[in-house]
Each structure stands twice: as C-alpha cells, then as structure tokens.
C-alpha cells in the first residue's frame, strides 16, 4: 500500500495528464444523462451530445 503522500502525488499527476477522446465523449454523455435522469431516446441523446460538442 502506498503512503498518503504518494497517493497525493499520483492524484496530482493524474489531474495534469491530457484527456483522451474516449474520456471526453464519456464526459459529454454523462453530462447529458445527468440533465435527463428519466432517460432520453437514442436520437435525442445523439442530438444533445452533438449540440453540446459544438458549444464547448
């Protein structure tokens, strides 16, 4: 097991690394799903994700 200091160092390294495309898309999908907890159709979800992609 690592120490608290080592864990803190790993967390900081992780925060500074670049995101990969899959993580960015997962974040966009998660934000849209959070806005619509009762669900969305696949078409509506795709539309909102596309709209969000252009605004960021």
């Amino acid at each position: 097991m690592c120490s608290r200091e080592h864990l803190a160092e790993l967390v900081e390294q992780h925060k500074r690394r670049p995101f990969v495309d899959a993580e960015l898309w997962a974040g966009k999908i998660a934000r849209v799903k959070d806005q619509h907890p009762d669900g969305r159709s696949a078409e509506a979800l795709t539309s909102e994700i596309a709209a969000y992609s252009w605004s960021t």
Side-chain angles (χ1 to χ4, degrees):
M1 183 163 29
C2 63
S3 67
R4 287 185 180 271
E5 293 80 18
H6 184 240
L7 180 58
E9 180 182 329
L10 291 175
V11 167
E12 287 306 313
Q13 287 176 9
H14 186 75
K15 284 181 183 178
R16 292 189 301 266
R17 72 175 179 74
F19 287 100
V20 296
D21 285 341
E23 290 173 311
L24 296 173
W25 273 107
K28 291 176 185 181
I29 292 168
R31 284 187 288 280
V32 170
K33 287 183 70 176
D34 286 346
Q35 292 173 354
H36 304 283
D38 294 332
R40 300 288 283 172
S41 70
E43 293 81 16
L45 190 62
T46 301
S47 167
E48 275 195 61
I49 290 169
Y52 184 80
S53 295
W54 290 110
S55 66
T56 58

